[in-house]
Amino acid sequence: MSIYKIARQQLTLIMRSKWLGSFGMLFALLAVFVTYFGNSGQSGYTGFSRMTASLLNLNLLLIPLIALLIGSLFIAGEKEDRGLMLLLTYPVSVKSVLVGKYIGLFLSLWSVITFGYGAAAIVMFIGNADTSISVMFLFYFLSLLLAVFFLALSMMIGLWSRTRFQALGMSLIVWAISVLFYEFIVMGLSIFVTKEWILTLLSISIFLNPVELIRVWAILSLDGASVFGPNLYDLTVWANGWLGQCLFVIASLLWVTVPFYFSHLFVKRRIGNE
Amino acid sequence: MGKVINDGLLLFYGCIFFLFIPWNTDAAAAEVTVESDMNLQEMIDHAEPGDTLNIQEGLYRGSITISKPITLVAQNGAIIDGRGNGNVITIASDGVVIKGFTIQNSGKDKDNSGILLKEVKDVVIDSNHISNVLFGIYSEKSSNNIIKNNDIESFDTHFSKRGNGIHLYYGHGNFIGNNRIKNVQDGIYFDSNSKSNIQNNTVEDSRYGFHFMFSEDISAEENDIQKNVTGFMIMDSKNLQFNRNQITDQFHFRGFGILIYDSSNIVIEENEIRQNSSGLYFENAEQTHIRQNLIAANQVGIEFKGDNIDNVLTENNFIGNVVQSKIADKDILLNGQQKGNYWDDYSSYDLTGDGIGEIPYKAGSIYDQILKSHPYWQFYFESPAIKIWSKAESMFPSIGTANVYDEKPLTLPVHFEKEKKNQKEKSKLSLLIYGLILTSSSVFILLKGKRME
């Protein structure tokens, strides 16, 4: 019951701020733009094309950013304003506060993403474009999953930082690393690693970054082997097999539970002391 | 006027008379039933031309030779076993019909086969299941035969120790349709063959799907070629026509969708060439006409080597190929006179409204160069980081040497008239429904969230 109330309160707080609305508009506009101008559905091919790649990149760039900013700024702000402290003095467990806030955050982000995809679908209908609906839903599902990961991370960052600005800085650093620098780092490492270890390195790198997890999962679900080419054939074989799919699911669970664990730790250790 | 009518009547009576001519073979035609304890070869030797032999269920050991125009029809479960020696069935007469058998265990020498056609014509080979043979069907200097609805499989070893599914050595006018061929060397091999038609066959898990050598005037439609080393291997041939074939998953290290070498006048239209190591490969090809094909998700979309003259590529969709076109050692113009092709990595605009971009498309991006030195970085194909990198690099004119170009690139993909209209309408309507459900549920949550407290 208390989880529900906290979630609703969180949702209402976010709705009242202008943040979500402007992000929502931006996301919907870009999604419509990319799907409308970039649909390759008419070509008779629905696999991984450069257009699906740009739609995927839009998600990979924007959703982590929105999730990190909204989540961490709100929670750090509440901490700064002592609202969170007040909440914790009530007879509710830390867990239900965390879960409630998380659900509230997720619902608000869910509505933004859902609106974006819905608007894109309607524009495609009006524009007479025919796009594969299954591909659209795959992307929708993976976008939500990406939001799930990064909201958990954002909550952790929000609870870790002392001020809003610290949360903002930290969020931007995490975003830049996970979306941009991570790939360059792995590419750099692959130059120094001997040939036998490159596949291992790349395989491990998938699971250490939620953005990579979603990116690789999306590509494999679309048509896999041909995108990564003959050199990475072994990787695509195991990743598409049941072992790979299991690892993807386990990694997804870990990317939610581990940040939750740390959030819990931060609340218990730090908030009491501040 | 009257004379015309008379002539017409005469023709009419002529036809009637023609129908009632007591043809020799027809008069003598008999239906003979063969049981599994009889000697099949003896029964064939005793049959009269035109007879039909109904072969009952059972295993018939030993090779057979047919040297008169008879029909052999298997009841279900009739097996002819060559005992691993020579050809299983040798056809040495015109007009033989072989229908519904399981044919197995040929020898392993030279050109041993399930069915050998030896300089014959008008033979029909229908609905047989041929397995564990070197060659499936070997047609030697035979013409006007029909080979349809057969299942063909060779030995379970490496393809270098197998024969071809259907091998046509000289001869002309053969029809090959609806056969399912797998685990052979080459699915269908045309050696100096001409005027043949191939429809609706599938070839899987073999070396080449179709292999053309010194052949001409052959058309292939709606065949499904997948998981071989190379889809169509075309060498020293001319006047070939390919329509609506699917050539997918030729993933071998040196695998090609369609390879054209030293050939001329090849028409390739409305085919789907997907997920091959190289989609199209041209070496010394002349007067090929490549139109309205989907060339997608290949490692390399199109590749050129040597002198390629008078080739026309027009209205093809090149989508999501990791390398769209390899840079060649000579200048290559990729477009036809009126229209070029759609390239999904082309980014310019159509200002004049004719569907053609104003800046030529040039093959070879910075990413192609990176891939050459670091093939494993294909893991980051079109990823955010690579995208930003290549955007940044493309601002410097460091690699402006691309000589493979399309002067009339299309800005929108070509729409092929393939799918049924009904289905499309349906999917479009569901797009609207999904869109409405998604937006309204999101708005519902937004409003509910706002209204609280």
Side-chain angles (χ1 to χ4, degrees):
Chain A
M1 195 61 207
S2 54
I3 291 182
Y4 174 73
K5 275 186 180 158
I6 293 167
R8 285 216 65 164
Q9 185 216 17
Q10 185 70 31
L11 183 63
T12 312
L13 282 176
I14 293 180
M15 295 296 169
R16 282 186 186 156
S17 77
K18 295 281 177 286
W19 273 91
L20 196 72
S22 42
F23 267 136
M25 287 310 289
L26 176 69
F27 184 75
L29 257 176
L30 282 173
V32 165
F33 185 81
V34 172
T35 45
Y36 185 67
F37 289 99
N39 88 85
S40 54
Q42 295 231 324
S43 65
Y45 178 66
T46 52
F48 191 80
S49 67
R50 282 178 173 76
M51 285 315 156
T52 36
S54 40
L55 190 61
L56 181 63
N57 285 348
L58 172 73
N59 288 315
L60 294 180
L61 286 167
L62 266 188
I63 289 172
L65 187 68
I66 300 174
L68 282 171
L69 288 182
I70 286 188
S72 68
L73 284 181
F74 253 89
I75 287 179
E78 264 194 328
K79 230 175 90 181
E80 222 178 327
D81 303 338
R82 299 277 152 186
L84 191 64
M85 291 283 295
L86 183 69
L87 189 60
L88 285 170
T89 58
Y90 289 115
V92 283
S93 67
V94 177
K95 259 184 211 146
S96 41
V97 171
L98 288 180
V99 174
K101 290 215 167 287
Y102 185 82
I103 291 173
L105 286 171
F106 178 71
L107 270 181
S108 57
L109 209 55
W110 173 85
S111 57
V112 168
I113 294 169
T114 306
F115 189 81
Y117 274 87
I122 291 174
V123 168
M124 280 188 285
F125 171 76
I126 294 167
N128 243 0
D130 62 299
T131 308
S132 156
I133 286 168
S134 58
V135 171
M136 208 184 83
F137 268 86
L138 174 75
F139 274 37
Y140 175 61
F141 168 72
L142 289 175
S143 305
L144 289 178
L145 203 58
L146 198 61
V148 165
F149 298 157
F150 275 90
L151 277 177
L153 280 173
S154 78
M155 208 159 66
M156 188 179 88
I157 292 168
L159 289 167
W160 173 80
S161 7
R162 279 162 208 278
T163 63
R164 284 186 177 89
F165 282 105
Q166 203 178 3
L168 178 68
M170 196 61 199
S171 295
L172 288 179
I173 289 171
V174 168
W175 177 76
I177 289 178
S178 55
V179 177
L180 297 177
F181 299 131
Y182 185 80
E183 293 185 354
F184 287 128
I185 293 167
V186 179
M187 274 190 258
L189 281 176
S190 74
I191 293 177
F192 300 109
V193 169
T194 50
K195 226 177 178 182
E196 308 84 80
W197 288 97
I198 287 185
L199 274 187
T200 323
L201 173 77
L202 291 178
S203 311
I204 294 171
S205 81
I206 299 171
F207 299 104
L208 296 183
N209 181 349
V211 174
E212 284 294 288
L213 191 70
I214 295 295
R215 190 179 71 85
V216 173
W217 211 351
I219 292 173
L220 287 177
S221 316
L222 283 173
D223 64 26
S226 66
V227 175
F228 291 144
N231 282 307
L232 295 163
Y233 189 69
D234 290 339
L235 191 151
T236 47
V237 165
W238 76 255
N240 262 334
W242 69 269
L243 176 70
Q245 296 298 313
C246 279
L247 279 177
F248 277 119
V249 172
I250 292 169
S252 304
L253 288 174
L254 282 178
W255 273 110
V256 180
T257 49
V258 170
F260 251 93
Y261 173 75
F262 278 102
S263 305
H264 194 256
L265 214 66
F266 290 151
V267 174
K268 284 225 152 157
R269 284 214 187 140
R270 296 184 74 165
I271 293 189
N273 298 337
E274 274 166 27
Chain B
M1 192 61 189
K3 190 163 189 321
V4 174
I5 293 170
N6 268 345
D7 278 352
L9 271 178
L10 208 64
L11 192 67
F12 176 67
Y13 287 127
C15 285
I16 297 279
F17 180 61
F18 185 78
L19 278 178
F20 287 99
I21 287 180
W23 291 102
N24 256 350
T25 49
D26 268 20
E31 295 243 348
V32 182
T33 303
V34 181
E35 304 278 352
S36 63
D37 53 357
M38 299 181 187
N39 184 322
L40 184 55
Q41 184 65 56
E42 272 174 23
M43 297 302 290
I44 291 167
D45 292 342
H46 288 133
E48 294 295 321
D51 281 0
T52 297
L53 271 60
N54 282 312
I55 319 288
Q56 295 301 309
E57 187 181 335
L59 178 66
Y60 298 85
R61 287 178 199 278
S63 304
I64 56 171
T65 302
I66 304 166
S67 42
K68 57 191 81 165
I70 54 174
T71 299
L72 265 66
V73 179
Q75 303 308 311
N76 46 350
I79 302 167
I80 301 180
D81 187 314
R83 287 174 162 168
N85 240 325
N87 305 299
V88 184
I89 299 179
T90 305
I91 298 175
S93 158
D94 300 347
V96 172
V97 177
I98 304 275
K99 198 172 170 191
F101 287 93
T102 294
I103 297 161
Q104 60 189 32
N105 296 333
S106 77
K108 292 184 177 179
D109 291 339
K110 237 178 63 194
D111 51 10
N112 287 170
S113 49
I115 300 177
L116 170 68
L117 306 181
K118 219 169 171 183
E119 296 177 52
V120 295
K121 55 183 198 281
D122 303 321
V123 166
V124 177
I125 297 173
D126 184 5
S127 306
N128 300 289
H129 185 92
I130 305 173
S131 65
N132 224 5
V133 291
L134 190 67
F135 285 77
I137 297 168
Y138 194 105
S139 163
E140 190 184 321
K141 296 176 190 165
S142 298
S143 301
N144 301 331
N145 303 301
I146 296 173
I147 299 172
K148 60 179 184 182
N149 304 328
N150 302 289
D151 278 309
I152 300 174
E153 223 174 310
S154 185
F155 301 123
D156 191 13
T157 57
H158 187 258
F159 60 64
S160 59
K161 288 175 187 158
R162 298 179 192 145
N164 304 319
I166 297 173
H167 187 104
L168 304 174
Y169 180 65
Y170 284 93
H172 55 81
N174 297 299
F175 172 80
I176 300 174
N178 283 318
N179 300 288
R180 290 163 301 280
I181 303 171
K182 66 182 204 182
N183 295 330
V184 294
Q185 190 169 72
D186 298 344
I188 304 179
Y189 191 126
F190 299 84
D191 188 352
S192 312
N193 185 269
S194 64
K195 296 184 192 114
S196 291
N197 179 247
I198 339 165
Q199 280 180 20
N200 271 317
N201 302 285
T202 61
V203 182
E204 287 174 44
D205 302 310
S206 303
R207 186 181 65 168
Y208 304 148
F210 295 166
H211 190 167
F212 301 88
M213 282 289 231
F214 311 108
S215 294
E216 53 189 79
D217 301 311
I218 292 173
S219 65
E221 291 115 36
E222 290 169 33
N223 299 286
D224 194 350
I225 311 292
Q226 48 176 314
K227 298 184 198 120
N228 308 289
V229 175
T230 286
F232 293 173
M233 175 67 95
I234 301 158
M235 297 176 117
D236 300 292
S237 297
K238 57 187 179 188
N239 304 337
L240 307 183
Q241 173 128 15
F242 302 109
N243 293 75
R244 299 180 304 282
N245 300 287
Q246 284 214 19
I247 302 151
T248 54
D249 297 304
Q250 267 65 238
F251 251 138
H252 190 265
F253 176 62
R254 288 300 288 163
F256 300 91
I258 298 180
L259 186 150
I260 303 175
Y261 176 84
D262 254 343
S263 298
S264 63
N265 213 341
I266 315 285
V267 178
I268 299 176
E269 280 183 335
E270 295 172 62
N271 301 283
E272 206 174 305
I273 304 165
R274 270 194 295 123
Q275 284 146 317
N276 306 291
S277 284
S278 262
L280 289 165
Y281 177 93
F282 293 84
E283 187 168 345
N284 305 338
E286 276 176 44
Q287 290 165 339
T288 60
H289 195 92
I290 321 287
R291 191 173 149 268
Q292 291 207 348
N293 301 285
L294 172 66
I295 298 150
N298 302 291
Q299 187 66 23
V300 176
I302 188 165
E303 213 175 315
F304 298 92
K305 205 177 171 191
D307 291 311
N308 295 290
I309 306 158
D310 293 337
N311 299 300
V312 177
L313 274 118
T314 179
E315 293 178 84
N316 300 290
N317 286 338
F318 285 85
I319 294 169
N321 302 298
V322 173
V323 174
Q324 295 271 44
S325 169
K326 258 197 182 162
I327 306 228
D329 41 7
K330 292 196 175 68
D331 278 15
I332 304 275
L333 182 62
L334 291 169
N335 57 284
Q337 290 224 311
Q338 309 284 323
K339 283 179 177 173
N341 306 282
Y342 173 75
W343 309 85
D344 78 338
D345 56 341
Y346 175 70
S347 55
S348 180
Y349 303 98
D350 169 27
L351 301 176
T352 49
D354 55 358
I356 292 167
E358 309 310 328
I359 303 170
Y361 170 83
K362 282 188 176 177
S365 69
I366 180 72
Y367 184 65
D368 299 355
Q369 308 282 315
I370 297 170
L371 269 188
K372 244 182 229 166
S373 48
H374 302 286
Y376 285 99
W377 289 3
Q378 193 179 335
F379 190 57
Y380 297 107
F381 176 63
E382 294 287 306
S383 80
I386 282 285
K387 203 84 186 156
I388 287 170
W389 187 3
S390 48
K391 265 271 146 36
E393 289 243 25
S394 68
M395 298 187 178
F396 305 101
S398 53
I399 49 148
T401 52
N403 54 358
V404 178
Y405 58 100
D406 188 333
E407 279 184 334
K408 290 166 181 163
L410 306 176
T411 49
L412 284 174
V414 183
H415 187 41
F416 306 138
E417 310 279 325
K418 237 180 172 179
E419 309 98 301
K420 281 173 195 131
K421 253 205 172 140
N422 263 347
Q423 223 170 351
K424 240 192 208 159
E425 297 290 309
K426 221 188 227 169
S427 82
K428 248 177 215 160
L429 202 65
S430 57
L431 204 60
L432 177 70
I433 292 165
Y434 287 132
L436 287 177
I437 290 174
L438 289 183
T439 43
S440 57
S441 62
S442 133
V443 167
F444 174 74
I445 290 284
L446 286 169
L447 289 179
K448 210 159 189 208
K450 230 171 206 173
R451 243 183 242 145
M452 198 218 175
E453 288 164 300

